[in-house]
Structure formats: structure tokens, C-alpha cells
Amino acid sequence: MTDDLTVFVERFLTERRRLGFQLTSCAYSLRSFAERVRASGHRGPLTVEVMARWAREDSSRSDQPRAWAQRLRQLRSFARWLRQFEPSTEVPDDSTFGRRQSRGTPHIYSEYQVGQLLAAARHLDASRGLRGVVYETLFGLIASTGLRVSEALALLVGDVDLRHGVLTIRRTKFGKSRAVPLHPSTTRALIQYRAKRDQAGASSGADEPFFIGTRVDQFGKPLAAHQVRCVFAVIRRNLGWVNRGSHHAPRIHDLRHTFVVRRILLWQQEQVDVDQAMLSLSTYVGHARVAAH
């Protein structure tokens, strides 16, 4: 059974993608888990103990049960699916690392910190190549629109309308598509990035990824979510931010929370009826419910 785990992982991913799921982060985690199980020499049905051991080995070296639980949660759907072939497979629940906690408090970035992040990303490539431009533009887009990182990475060239300043976000977390109007300054940044991307030799076809890998063996291919998180973690450590949230450290996803908080504060300053405006904000960021903010 364990010898075939990689095969089962790929079958699971293929089936889920046919149903419309993108699974970028999940695919990386499942493949990582399968490799860890293979390397450990485990034989027999998968157990919660085996899964929990992998969850604790997060590359960010977090010592927070909340982070372990989030990582373990990525295995749950696969474990349920695997039961049809191996009935003894155990399925982890939210109590594996203790009592399930309520949603964690995000780290809300200051304007200065966002500026630090973009400047650090800009200087990732000392030779002034494309790498720094890719990450500066990616993080800037997330900060200015509240996109999920998965949504930003899934953008195709044809989804980015630079003439009208609108993004098309397809098959989001809840299986819906939406249009995201951009601030003129964001559109200008994307125009500059697109020019440098194309000048570097990346394909400009409508079905090509907008944000691309820059290594020789990955050039022009979609930028991987795990790679983006690793780069962000390095920047975060170098900047030495003091964490103001309840998660193990400031996250890319907290840029999304920061966008929402800043928009609400701006509405309050402008004396806008926030309760009425929340529906438009929920639609803009792609939440299924207003209460999800």
C-alpha cells in the first residue's frame, strides 16, 4: 500500500482537478507527505501518528500547534478518499493537536511594513534581473487588491486587462469567477512588470501564466506557491518583524486581511455606511459570506 502512495496522490489530484479544484498548495503538501512516508520506510495503512509527524516538520519550523493543525488539515480529504482503497486508513480531525481553536488573529501590516516588503522583494536579484520584479509585483498586487495568493498565482496573461485595469479571477475558492477593478497605480505597476516580463523572453500568449518562475529550469512556468512562501519567509526573517497576530508569524495571507481592514477604516473616515458597503467589499475579495471578513 505505502509503495503506491505517490500513485494514489496523483490519482486523487487528477480526480479533484477534473471537479474544478486547483489544489496548488494541496498538491505540494500531498507530494511532500508521500515522499516523507517513503523515506521513513513506513509500511501498512496510514495512521494519524504518521500524518502528525509530517505536520510537525513544516519548513518554517513552527512550534505552534495551530500551524501543525493547518498543515494536517491538508491531508484530510485525501485520507477520506484513500479509504475506498485502504479501509484502515485513519482520518485526522481538529483535535489531533489539542482543542480546536477559533480563527486566529491576523497580523495587520503597517504601511511602512508593506513598503519594507516590496523593497526587500525588489532587491532579491542583485543583478537586477526579473526575479525581484516578479516578487515585488506579486506582493504589491496582493496588498493592493486583497487577492488570495493562490488567485494571484493562477492569473493568466489573458486574465489581466491592462487597458481597462481589471483582473478576471477564475474558479476561485468557492468555484466562482469575479472581476476585480484595479487602482490606477496598481495598473501602472502591472504594465511595468508585463513589459519587463515580455522583454525577458516570456511567452505573451493569453493562456500563459502571468507570474512566472525565473530560474533557468523554471523560466516561463507558473510560479509555485511553496516557492513564494519560502521567499516570503526569508524576507520576513531578514526584516525581523514583531508578530502582532496569533499565528506563528506574519503571513502572506495577512496582506489580504490588511487590505480589508484598511478599506473599512477608510470608509469610516469618509463617513460611509460600512454595513451597506460590506456587501460590495465581500464581492470584491471573493468571500461567500459577509461574515467571513
Side-chain angles (χ1 to χ4, degrees):
M1 163 58 211
T2 304
D3 293 337
D4 298 327
L5 188 56
T6 298
V7 175
F8 281 116
V9 164
E10 297 305 324
R11 283 182 59 184
F12 171 77
L13 293 173
T14 298
E15 289 187 15
R16 298 286 280 180
R17 282 173 177 145
R18 285 173 181 165
L19 295 173
F21 294 93
Q22 295 180 8
L23 303 175
T24 304
S25 177
C26 178
Y28 175 76
S29 295
L30 288 176
R31 288 165 179 156
S32 167
F33 173 66
E35 174 58 25
R36 176 65 183 83
V37 172
R38 185 201 62 77
S40 71
H42 175 80
R43 291 292 179 270
L46 295 179
T47 64
V48 170
E49 181 181 358
V50 170
M51 299 178 202
R53 191 180 306 129
W54 168 83
R56 292 190 186 94
E57 296 173 352
D58 188 352
S59 59
S60 66
R61 298 193 179 105
S62 172
D63 59 356
Q64 297 295 318
R66 182 193 298 274
W68 300 340
Q70 180 64 33
R71 197 163 188 241
L72 186 63
R73 201 168 293 132
Q74 293 183 306
L75 303 183
R76 191 176 301 158
S77 294
F78 172 68
R80 290 197 190 100
W81 176 87
L82 190 61
R83 273 186 163 177
Q84 64 186 301
F85 307 103
E86 177 51 70
S88 298
T89 301
E90 296 182 2
V91 178
D93 59 31
D94 288 326
S95 64
T96 301
F97 293 114
R99 184 177 62 85
R100 181 177 181 177
Q101 298 176 317
S102 58
R103 179 183 297 183
T105 303
H107 174 95
I108 302 302
Y109 293 94
S110 65
E111 290 186 21
Y112 177 70
Q113 286 179 324
V114 173
Q116 280 186 308
L117 173 63
L118 300 189
R122 186 182 315 133
H123 292 97
L124 283 171
D125 193 337
S127 63
R128 298 185 182 276
L130 189 61
R131 184 169 183 254
V133 179
V134 169
Y135 283 99
E136 179 188 9
T137 307
L138 174 64
F139 294 144
L141 179 63
I142 295 172
S144 63
T145 60
L147 289 184
R148 301 176 178 92
V149 64
S150 60
E151 293 173 343
L153 294 178
L155 285 171
L156 302 177
V157 170
D159 296 330
V160 184
D161 183 347
L162 297 175
R163 175 177 295 182
H164 300 99
V166 177
L167 303 179
T168 299
I169 308 301
R170 304 182 188 280
R171 293 192 310 175
T172 65
K173 180 178 179 181
F174 301 102
K176 298 180 179 180
S177 297
R178 70 185 191 278
V180 175
L182 303 172
H183 189 275
S185 63
T186 303
T187 303
R188 288 194 294 270
L190 294 183
I191 290 173
Q192 293 171 3
Y193 164 73
R194 172 69 189 274
K196 293 178 181 178
R197 174 194 177 282
D198 293 354
Q199 289 169 7
S203 174
S204 58
D207 292 331
E208 296 296 325
F210 189 71
F211 289 109
I212 58 173
T214 57
R215 291 187 336 198
V216 174
D217 60 332
Q218 295 294 319
F219 185 79
K221 296 180 180 179
L223 194 60
H226 72 273
Q227 184 178 354
V228 173
R229 291 189 175 92
C230 286
V231 168
F232 181 83
V234 170
I235 293 176
R236 178 182 63 206
R237 287 196 295 270
N238 290 342
L239 292 176
W241 287 328
V242 175
N243 185 17
R244 293 194 295 274
S246 61
H247 296 276
H248 71 283
R251 308 164 301 160
I252 301 175
H253 193 69
D254 290 332
L255 290 170
R256 177 173 165 86
H257 290 291
T258 300
F259 170 81
V260 171
V261 168
R262 292 194 179 283
R263 170 45 56 188
I264 293 174
L265 290 176
L266 183 59
W267 277 337
Q268 290 176 336
Q269 293 171 7
E270 296 172 346
Q271 297 185 334
V272 171
D273 186 332
V274 175
D275 289 338
Q276 292 294 324
M278 284 296 287
L279 181 58
S280 62
L281 179 59
S282 185
T283 301
Y284 186 88
V285 299
H287 276 152
R289 295 173 294 108
V290 174
H293 291 304

